[in-house]
Amino acid sequence: MEGTKNVVLLDFWPSSFGMRQRIALALKGIEYEAREENLFDKSPLLLEMNSVHKKIPVLIHNGNSICESLIILEYIDQVWHDKYPLLPSHPYERSQARFWADYIDKKYLQIYSTGRRVWSGEGEDQEKAKKEFIEIFKTLEGELGDKTYFGGDNLGFVDVALVPFTSWFYSYETCANFSIEAECPKLVAWANRCMQIESVSNSLPHPHNIYAYVLELKHKLGLS
Amino acid sequence: MAAGNVKLLGVWASPFVNRVEIALKIRSIESEFIQENLLNKSELLLKSNPVYKKIPVLFHDEKPICESLVILQYIDEVWPNGPSILHSDPYDRAISRFWAAYIDEKWFPLVTELRNAEGKEAKTAVLEKIYEGNLLLEEAFIKISKGKPFFGGDSIGYLDVVIGSLLGWVKAQEIMDEVKILDETKMPSLAEWDDRFCSDEIVKDIIPQPEKLVEVYRKYQESFYKK
């Protein structure tokens, strides 16, 4: 078994992208050193390991740094492929898993800026943001269909890519006074099923802690 | 090679479609090219890519695969004959994917920004950002190629296809704006790679001539504004 020092994850606790790696490493039973970054005071290690984007998460494995969360996820899945494989083995199904994980990331900018408008916005713009936000999750709900998980009977690549964002749902709902469950019941049911899995629930912060962080952010931005 | 039923929905001028054409050629896969009309999208496109409604779409035995980078990886995995498109080593793969993402998400959008920028000052500002990116790419090429002719090593690989497919449009932009985007004095290794890539047997009939792309762009602008 590899020593803990060989696998290091540079992370930031409320980051949905960091949560992805925590889940994958937990599912595969990989021990690693978790290093918390202060994004307002980035460490020399982070700046060195991700000199192009200077962002977390970064996985450092045997001295090599891997950046960009979906790329890290594929790397983890390939290196430790015998333990809880996340990507399906059939090429067509793999292509679909990659497509939907990529969709989540393409929409992230929208979710992030839309999400930001949801928890920090007001009035008409907030309403518009809520609508856009729900549409993205409705599309994903459509892709889930009647499956237990996006990966079928077990968690797959898309499940791990998506479930971290659900830890932010309570914050969006509370700030903007709406119920994501009412609009996307199947998706919320899926999220609850994921949370029954220890590797997921241990990797995600409690939604109330995210909410406290959001309130802090709002205060910092002068929006409370 | 008998590859099953393979069709590619696209337009010859799209660099993202060119990526798929190159990958299919690397693997010697014959396919039927279905020309799409981007000004009046077909039922086939809208049905097979309802999420983005964009080309390319690869059909394998009638099943659609969308997004050029997803398609490249599919081709690499489904038809394992001929040289590998992606590296087999997980770390080398991750590096190729990283730079492919950088190209698609950061660098090429700057070229589009350059096209849309109005006035010399605005254009110069975007060019500066592109030049910064070029230095990163030059460094990346030297590191990844390890003295070999391509990012993929001895033969064209994933990153060669991802970046190389864009060269036609980059050069078209150079013509339209009368600027040098790929400055061989600042990026000598990449400039040599550019020549090597564009003259390669597999690539040379696929990447359109920049002058033709300028023509296409001007015609598209006309029709677009006429509507």
Side-chain angles (χ1 to χ4, degrees), chain B residues 8-54:
Chain B
L8 175 60
L9 180 63
V11 299
W12 62 267
S14 160
F16 306 105
V17 173
N18 295 156
R19 284 177 179 174
V20 179
E21 291 178 273
I22 297 170
L24 289 169
K25 207 162 170 192
I26 291 174
R27 291 292 212 226
S28 311
I29 303 299
E30 287 191 22
S31 65
E32 179 195 337
F33 193 93
I34 306 173
Q35 185 76 13
E36 178 60 51
N37 178 356
L38 294 181
L39 294 170
N40 187 9
K41 292 180 177 177
S42 67
E43 249 331 288
L44 181 65
L45 176 58
L46 300 177
K47 243 178 88 183
S48 59
N49 191 356
V51 174
Y52 300 118
K53 307 174 177 51
K54 284 182 174 178

Side-chain angles (χ1 to χ4, degrees), chain B residues 27 69 85 117 140 145 152 155 162 170 182 200:
Chain B
R27 291 292 212 226
L69 299 186
I85 297 173
S145 63
S155 58
V162 170
V170 172
L182 305 167
D200 188 276

Side-chain angles (χ1 to χ4, degrees), chain A residues 74 78 91-92 94 98 106, chain B residues 64 67 77 88 93 97:
Chain A
E74 282 224 42
Q78 201 189 343
Y92 186 74
R94 284 163 85 85
R98 285 183 177 127
K106 280 192 160 73
Chain B
E67 290 301 288
E77 289 173 4
S88 52
R93 251 185 212 221
R97 286 191 174 123

Side-chain angles (χ1 to χ4, degrees), chain B residues 101-121:
Chain B
Y102 173 80
I103 287 289
D104 275 8
E105 290 162 27
K106 301 270 188 258
W107 189 82
F108 194 58
L110 286 174
V111 178
T112 309
E113 211 185 300
L114 178 67
R115 186 194 311 152
N116 298 329
E118 285 180 10
K120 194 159 186 226
E121 223 176 276

Side-chain angles (χ1 to χ4, degrees), chain B residues 50-66:
Chain B
V51 174
Y52 300 118
K53 307 174 177 51
K54 284 182 174 178
I55 47 104
V57 181
L58 183 77
F59 294 89
H60 184 201
D61 294 333
E62 310 306 325
K63 294 201 282 211
I65 302 112
C66 310

Side-chain angles (χ1 to χ4, degrees), chain B residues 190-207:
Chain B
L190 267 183
E192 283 176 20
W193 164 84
D194 175 353
D195 288 334
R196 237 178 272 130
F197 179 83
C198 292
S199 57
D200 188 276
E201 269 311 302
I202 291 185
V203 169
K204 66 182 170 62
D205 295 327
I206 296 174
I207 308 286

Side-chain angles (χ1 to χ4, degrees), chain B residues 145-203:
Chain B
S145 63
K146 301 183 181 118
K148 297 208 169 164
F150 298 105
F151 285 95
D154 292 313
S155 58
I156 287 174
Y158 185 74
L159 204 43
D160 300 283
V161 178
V162 170
I163 306 177
S165 56
L166 304 172
L167 293 170
W169 278 101
V170 172
K171 291 166 186 170
Q173 200 56 42
E174 288 183 326
I175 296 171
M176 290 193 273
D177 279 335
E178 293 172 348
V179 286
K180 204 87 175 94
I181 297 173
L182 305 167
D183 186 347
E184 60 267 15
T185 61
K186 303 214 173 99
M187 37 196 287
S189 308
L190 267 183
E192 283 176 20
W193 164 84
D194 175 353
D195 288 334
R196 237 178 272 130
F197 179 83
C198 292
S199 57
D200 188 276
E201 269 311 302
I202 291 185
V203 169

